[in-house]
């Protein structure tokens, strides 16, 4: 079943009436299956964040339409239906944390949509447990590492019980340890059945997805499984993107005449092949 439907989406930023609008999305079509994990990659300015904000109705289409679980984002009255189904996690956790105590922070979203207090407590406990931050619940978010802050921000989204979570470069400001923590949580949420859209510039994160969508200049230029996407590394490099380490290694081995099988995109698969 399709949970997010992006139909001929066009988005233009308008600063004022004098200056011409900036077209950030120029006709994008993407259907996202419920429970899937999609990575969106593309160089800076290719329209990824604009796309993400159109999914949870922070921005509304200039043309075309976006549907979340059947609700059209631009329909009057659909805003909260869309937002409670599609949560969003941003790059900087500091901008997402609003309270001085972790558990209050996680309760903020459900309180705002009028969830009753027993249910809020249950949701806060569940959400903090699922990001392994329950023990820290009485602390101030300011005492936490970047990775822990991002996990609290994710707990705040989980407490809304969304069907989809859109992550916009959630690990870009984190150290390697923090990146791993956040990716572990994201993969766990995917296993629990939540639909994941991950915008990232880390290729080792993108290869963990079921599907990769590549954006360039406001359009989708490639869309396929990680193995399909990286089957032609030259095409990815021409889009000014890196290829995953394993893909680069296979590519180099092939050039030296080794008969490496296709479809290796992750480090684990590479190790399995080399040690076979
Ligand atoms: P990405 O997330 O892939 O880096 P963005 O969606 O942020 O790309 O930006 C897409 C395009 O829209 C870029 O050309 C960018 O300069 C422009 N843009 C983004 N935000 C604004 C804004 N608030 N006002 C005007 N133009 C913007
Ligand atoms: Mg961006």
């Amino acid at each position: 079943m399709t949970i997010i439907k992006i139909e001929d989406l066009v988005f233009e930023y308008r600063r004022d009436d004098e200056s011409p609008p900036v077209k950030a999305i120029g006709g994008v079509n993407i259907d996202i299956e419920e429970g899937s994990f999609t990575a969106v990659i593309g160089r800076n300015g290719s329209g990824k964040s604009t796309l993400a904000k159109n999914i949870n109705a922070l921005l509304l289409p200039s043309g075309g339409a976006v549907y979340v679980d059947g609700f059209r984002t631009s329909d009057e009255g659909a805003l909260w239906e869309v937002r409670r189904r599609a949560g969003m996690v941003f790059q900087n956790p500091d901008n997402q944390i609003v309270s001085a105590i972790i558990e209050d922070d996680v309760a903020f979203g459900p309180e705002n949509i009028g969830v009753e207090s027993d249910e809020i407590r249950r949701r806060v406990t569940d959400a903090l447990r699922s990001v392994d931050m329950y023990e820290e619940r009485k602390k101030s978010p300011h005492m936490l590492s970047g990775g822990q802050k991002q996990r609290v921000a994710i707990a705040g989204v989980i407490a809304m019980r969304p069907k989809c979570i859109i992550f916009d470069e959630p690990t870009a400001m984190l150290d390697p340890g923090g990146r791993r923590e956040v990716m572990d949580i994201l993969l766990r949420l995917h296993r629990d059945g939540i639909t994941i859209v991950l915008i990232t510039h880390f290729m080792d994160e993108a290869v963990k997805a079921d599907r990769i969508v590549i954006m360039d200049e406001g359009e989708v230029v490639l869309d396929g499984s990680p193995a399909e996407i990286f089957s032609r590394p030259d095409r990815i490099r021409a889009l000014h993107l890196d290829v995953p380490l394993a893909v680069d290694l296979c590519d180099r081995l092939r050039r030296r005449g080794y008969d490496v099988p296709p479809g290796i995109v992750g480090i684990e698969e590479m190790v399995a092949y080399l040690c076979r």
Side-chain angles (χ1 to χ4, degrees):
M1 192 200 123
T2 300
I3 182 119
I4 299 170
K5 188 167 187 62
I6 299 168
E7 211 173 62
D8 301 325
L9 175 66
V10 174
F11 186 86
E12 292 174 340
Y13 287 99
R14 290 172 187 281
R15 250 180 236 122
D16 47 60
D17 290 338
E18 276 94 84
S19 35
V22 177
K23 188 179 266 191
I25 305 273
V28 160
N29 288 282
I30 307 173
D31 281 358
I32 292 178
E33 279 291 296
E34 183 155 26
S36 63
F37 173 10
T38 305
V40 179
I41 62 177
R43 61 175 149 172
N44 278 342
S46 57
K48 306 179 299 296
S49 294
T50 306
L51 180 74
K53 289 176 188 160
N54 271 277
I55 297 175
N56 92 329
L58 282 172
L59 296 174
L60 297 176
S62 312
V66 177
Y67 300 86
V68 175
D69 206 16
F71 289 94
R72 185 174 169 139
T73 59
S74 54
D75 276 352
E76 218 171 308
L79 187 68
W80 292 106
E81 301 300 340
V82 168
R83 295 247 176 103
R84 75 174 65 190
R85 284 170 176 79
M88 198 150 160
V89 176
F90 298 91
Q91 187 175 111
N92 187 346
D94 288 323
N95 296 344
Q96 302 169 74
I97 288 172
V98 291
S99 307
I101 305 289
I102 289 173
E103 62 181 359
D104 296 348
D105 198 78
V106 177
F108 184 80
E111 269 164 8
N112 263 319
I113 57 167
V115 176
E116 56 105 11
S117 57
D118 281 351
E119 171 68 10
I120 291 178
R121 257 193 301 279
R122 256 195 310 276
R123 288 191 187 195
V124 169
T125 302
D126 287 353
L128 283 170
R129 286 221 168 98
S130 64
V131 300
D132 297 326
M133 288 297 291
Y134 184 70
E135 301 306 322
E136 332 280 329
R137 66 191 178 282
K138 303 286 181 192
K139 287 190 187 159
S140 161
H142 302 290
M143 300 169 61
L144 305 177
S145 70
Q148 287 175 317
K149 280 184 194 168
Q150 198 58 300
R151 280 151 60 192
V152 171
I154 295 170
V157 172
I158 296 173
M160 301 291 279
R161 300 272 157 92
K163 290 188 172 187
C164 329
I165 305 181
I166 300 106
F167 293 83
D168 191 355
E169 305 209 29
T171 66
M173 298 181 72
L174 308 181
D175 59 21
R179 279 184 56 204
R180 236 182 343 260
E181 290 167 20
V182 167
M183 278 308 288
D184 285 347
I185 304 290
L186 183 153
L187 293 169
R188 204 186 298 169
L189 293 170
H190 175 228
R191 278 197 299 274
D192 290 346
I194 294 182
T195 307
I196 306 285
V197 177
L198 170 65
I199 296 170
T200 184
H201 65 263
F202 294 110
M203 297 301 142
D204 56 335
E205 295 178 358
V207 295
K208 298 203 163 82
D210 314 320
R211 172 186 181 189
I212 299 178
V213 172
I214 304 189
M215 306 244 341
D216 195 50
E217 296 184 356
E219 289 177 14
V220 172
V221 289
L222 285 174
D223 182 346
S225 69
E228 285 162 0
I229 291 287
F230 292 114
S231 63
R232 285 192 40 205
D234 49 320
R235 204 169 43 175
I236 304 305
R237 293 191 189 103
L239 291 164
H240 305 274
L241 296 170
D242 291 331
V243 299
L245 183 64
V247 171
D248 190 36
L249 199 52
C250 290
D251 198 28
R252 289 175 193 222
L253 288 169
R254 281 189 202 106
R255 282 184 213 197
R256 297 233 185 158
Y258 290 92
D259 188 21
V260 184
I264 297 175
V265 294
I267 294 294
E268 291 79 10
E269 298 155 55
M270 187 75 217
V271 171
Y273 164 68
L274 291 173
C275 300
R276 77 204 184 281

